[in-house]
């Protein structure tokens, strides 16, 4: 029997109740769920559906057997139960009243100071003029044009590794629109297929930058677009690549079942493609290991790791590897193996692998070095090596500062939370002092600490 329809909004009396406000500030989701049930008539099964959680997980939270600290899960609870973002330490949610509609006291109007950018903005043509000029321009497409676009993509990925994708995204999106516009015209089959391939890669890169910024809905939209572009030319290897990216995102969103389904579909696409290389199969097997590790399935994780190493051992210099899988080299295989073990709590196996890969990782890959250093610090902390863990994490601060990445910030906050029991130890004091010096917002804005903070596998798509 269907449940009676109810407003998605919580009663104002509940949202303004000091007990509810205190529960939100403390991150006591068990108490929040109890209040929502008692005061809004939203029962645990409905809470689970609204917040994309399993009923068993909601029950464990209410019973006090599980805590929720993942930022993406907290965002889903805010959106699903319509709890304003500020109550849970989040930014304003998209469904909240826009700032322009809020009532603010009138103040005397100020004359804006002249901006140095204004003369430049006035001198630039508008978007409509750009469109007119584009129509009038000669667009004699050739194979060299495709080569130039491929070179741009390779440069985008390099810059993304070094600096992050936030400032890169407008250029990537602009080039994606340009290529999609080129596809509207009649082209010979080789050029048309080449443009589809480039558009698919640009859409994937755009999705990746949103994923790295933890804007998961936008990321999923671009990944889906990329999948469709690759499917139009039956590029099954690239479809597998995009599905693997979506699988990795699902692990970050605490959806291990989705992660496993997506990577399994990726492997099916790769196996059905002609000429799929061992490097591609090794990368996909490692993504499968991440999904199983997120589920806590030790046996399946070890099997997938073994398959990844078997495929990697079959790589030869003459393999026609796609450019997008070149990043999956031996250090990457090793560090991902360590991360999979670490996700299972096998710190003794994980630590030497991550340390070895980190020593061999390219110095310009700031995001990767930051991720992997925080993972190494975690495994060292799990093994009781507090001084080493804090020293490793301190070394990670330099690449973390160099790259704009919300995922890096998330890993940093999680390590900081794990130091809670050791706050007065000299090594932890030194790390926190350095952290406050270089990244003060990550300390002041970090979520409440807990021994149950989950660990997510970080990896380049």
């Amino acid at each position: 029997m269907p449940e009676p329809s109810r407003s998605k909004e919580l009663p104002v009396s509940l949202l303004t109740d000091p007990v509810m406000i205190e529960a939100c500030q403390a991150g006591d989701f068990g108490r929040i769920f109890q209040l929502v049930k008692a005061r809004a008539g939203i029962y645990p099964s409905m809470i689970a559906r609204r917040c994309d959680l399993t009923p068993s997980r909601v029950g464990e939270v209410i019973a006090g057997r599980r805590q929720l600290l993942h930022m993406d899960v907290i965002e889903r609870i805010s959106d699903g139960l319509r709890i304003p973002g500020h109550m849970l330490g989040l930014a304003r949610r998209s469904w909240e009243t826009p700032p322009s509609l809020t009532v603010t006291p009138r103040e005397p109007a100020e004359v804006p100071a002249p901006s140095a950018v204004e003369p430049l903005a006035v001198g630039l043509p508008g978007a409509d003029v750009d469109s007119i000029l584009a129509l009038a321009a000669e667009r004699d497409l050739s194979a060299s044009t495709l080569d130039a676009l491929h070179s741009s993509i390779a440069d985008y990925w390099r810059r993304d590794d070094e600096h992050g994708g936030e400032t890169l995204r407008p250029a990537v999106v602009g080039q994606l629109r340009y290529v999609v516009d080129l596809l509207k015209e009649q082209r010979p089959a080789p050029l048309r297929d080449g443009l589809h391939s480039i558009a698919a890669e640009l859409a994937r890169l755009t999705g990746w930058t949103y994923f790295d910024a933890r804007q998961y809905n936008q990321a999923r939209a671009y990944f889906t677009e990329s999948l469709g572009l690759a499917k139009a030319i039956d590029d099954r290897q690239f479809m597998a690549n995009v599905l693997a990216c979506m699988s990795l995102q699902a692990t970050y969103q605490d959806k291990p079942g989705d992660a496993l389904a997506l990577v399994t579909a990726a492997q099916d696409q790769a196996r059905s493609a002609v000429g799929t290389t061992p490097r591609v199969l090794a990368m996909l097997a490692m993504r499968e290991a991440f999904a199983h590790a997120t589920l806590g399935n030790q046996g399946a994780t070890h099997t997938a790791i073994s398959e990844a190493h078997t495929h990697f051992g079959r790589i030869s210099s003459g393999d026609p590897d796609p450019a997008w899988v070149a990043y999956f080299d031996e250090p990457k295989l090793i560090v991902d193996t360590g991360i999979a073990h670490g996700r299972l709590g096998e710190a003794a196996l994980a630590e030497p692998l991550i340390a070895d890969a980190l020593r061999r990782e390219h110095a310009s890959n700031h995001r990767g070095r930051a991720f992997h250093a925080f993972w190494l610090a975690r495994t060292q902390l799990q093994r009781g090596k507090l001084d080493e863990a804090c020293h490793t994490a301190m070394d990670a601060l330099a690449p973390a500062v160099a790259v704009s990445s919300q995922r890096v910030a998330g890993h940093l906050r999680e390590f900081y939370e794990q130091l809670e029991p050791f706050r007065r130890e000299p090594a932890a004091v030194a790390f926190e002092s350095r952290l406050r010096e270089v990244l003060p917002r990550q300390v002041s804005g970090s979520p409440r600490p807990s021994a149950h903070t989950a660990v997510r596998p970080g990896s380049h798509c």
Side-chain angles (χ1 to χ4, degrees):
M1 179 176 178
E3 297 188 27
S5 61
R6 297 186 178 94
S7 169
K8 294 193 74 173
E9 308 296 333
L10 294 179
V12 174
S13 59
L14 173 57
L15 292 174
T16 57
D17 189 317
V19 177
M20 180 67 166
I21 294 171
E22 182 181 351
C24 290
Q25 290 175 341
D28 186 349
F29 289 100
R31 183 65 177 147
I32 291 170
F33 290 166
Q34 289 172 338
L35 288 167
V36 167
K37 174 186 174 183
R39 301 276 296 277
I42 302 174
Y43 287 82
S45 59
M46 179 59 74
I47 292 173
R49 284 198 291 275
R50 285 193 179 190
C51 303
D52 199 12
L53 297 169
T54 61
S56 61
R57 177 165 297 187
V58 172
E60 289 173 353
V61 171
I62 292 174
R65 295 194 300 272
R66 179 187 286 269
Q67 290 183 299
L68 300 176
L69 284 173
H70 284 298
M71 192 60 68
D72 0 301
V73 176
I74 295 173
E75 288 172 346
R76 296 208 303 269
I77 292 170
S78 173
D79 295 339
L81 298 179
R82 289 298 195 263
I83 300 173
H86 72 273
M87 294 184 67
L88 295 172
L90 303 173
R92 176 183 292 274
R93 312 308 295 158
S94 60
W95 47 265
E96 293 187 58
T97 305
S100 59
L101 298 184
T102 58
V103 178
T104 54
R106 287 192 175 187
E107 295 182 0
E110 295 184 6
V111 178
S115 168
V117 179
E118 286 178 2
L120 175 61
V122 170
L124 291 174
D128 56 335
V129 175
D130 281 338
S131 299
I132 293 168
L133 295 174
L135 286 172
E138 291 287 338
R139 296 203 283 194
D140 186 17
L141 202 64
S142 66
S144 63
T145 309
L146 301 186
D147 290 341
L149 290 167
H150 279 299
S151 295
S152 294
I153 292 170
D155 186 56
Y156 287 146
W157 279 114
R158 178 186 59 78
R159 290 158 61 191
D160 176 70
D161 283 339
E162 293 181 11
H163 309 295
E166 195 65 32
T167 57
L168 198 66
R169 191 185 306 125
V172 179
V173 171
Q175 195 158 71
L176 172 60
R177 288 174 178 164
Y178 170 73
V179 174
V180 169
D181 194 41
L182 291 176
L183 278 168
K184 295 176 183 176
E185 302 175 15
Q186 290 293 324
R187 307 283 180 189
L191 291 178
R192 185 187 66 244
D193 290 353
L195 287 172
H196 266 100
S197 177
I198 290 166
E201 179 61 30
L202 288 167
R204 183 182 77 103
L205 175 52
T206 305
W208 167 259
T209 64
Y210 277 116
F211 165 47
D212 195 48
R214 296 165 68 106
Q215 297 181 39
Y216 297 135
N217 288 339
Q218 286 286 79
R220 189 181 185 93
Y222 277 97
F223 284 148
T224 303
E225 182 69 17
S226 178
L227 198 63
L229 287 162
K231 186 174 182 179
I233 55 174
D234 198 32
D235 187 346
R236 298 189 182 189
Q237 280 198 84
F238 195 81
M239 290 172 68
N241 184 28
V242 178
L243 288 165
C245 288
M246 298 176 84
S247 172
L248 182 63
Q249 177 172 312
T251 65
Y252 272 77
Q253 292 182 276
D254 199 22
K255 298 179 179 180
D258 290 0
L260 185 58
L262 287 163
V263 76
T264 300
Q267 290 170 318
D268 288 343
Q269 289 292 335
R271 294 187 187 107
S272 66
V274 176
T276 299
T277 65
R279 193 182 303 272
V280 171
L281 294 173
M283 180 272 288
L284 294 175
M286 191 55 70
R287 291 293 169 82
E288 182 189 356
F290 282 168
H292 284 303
T294 307
L295 285 163
N297 192 332
Q298 185 181 51
T301 303
H302 289 178
T303 298
I305 289 172
S306 177
E307 289 180 1
H309 283 256
T310 298
H311 288 306
F312 198 88
R314 293 172 179 158
I315 293 173
S316 67
S317 57
D319 288 341
D321 283 323
W324 45 261
V325 79
Y327 81 95
F328 197 79
D329 54 11
E330 187 174 23
K332 184 61 177 165
L333 173 74
I334 292 170
V335 78
D336 282 359
T337 301
I339 288 171
H341 284 299
R343 184 65 183 87
L344 288 171
E346 299 171 339
L349 291 173
E351 182 188 353
L353 293 169
I354 299 173
D356 177 47
L358 193 55
R359 282 190 293 269
R360 295 197 274 167
E361 194 159 27
H362 200 281
S364 66
N365 185 1
H366 296 308
R367 181 176 47 224
R369 291 189 65 80
F371 273 144
H372 302 150
F374 285 129
W375 262 103
L376 178 59
R378 280 194 171 170
T379 59
Q380 290 168 337
L381 191 61
Q382 288 172 5
R383 302 189 70 190
K385 301 178 180 181
L386 176 63
D387 290 357
E388 287 184 47
C390 290
H391 184 270
T392 299
M394 206 172 302
D395 286 344
L397 291 178
V401 170
V403 69
S404 174
S405 169
Q406 286 300 311
R407 288 191 308 127
V408 167
H411 282 261
L412 169 57
R413 283 194 297 270
E414 287 169 2
F415 176 76
Y416 176 72
E417 291 158 15
Q418 288 186 330
L419 286 179
E420 176 62 20
F422 314 103
R423 283 282 185 258
R424 296 184 180 181
E425 297 294 332
V429 170
F431 170 71
E432 182 170 340
S433 175
R434 179 60 178 158
L435 177 59
R436 289 184 183 278
E437 179 184 341
V438 299
L439 288 169
R441 291 180 61 188
Q442 301 308 328
V443 180
S444 60
S446 61
R448 292 152 294 280
S450 167
H452 299 285
T453 301
V455 180
R456 306 185 189 104
S459 175
H460 189 295
C461 270

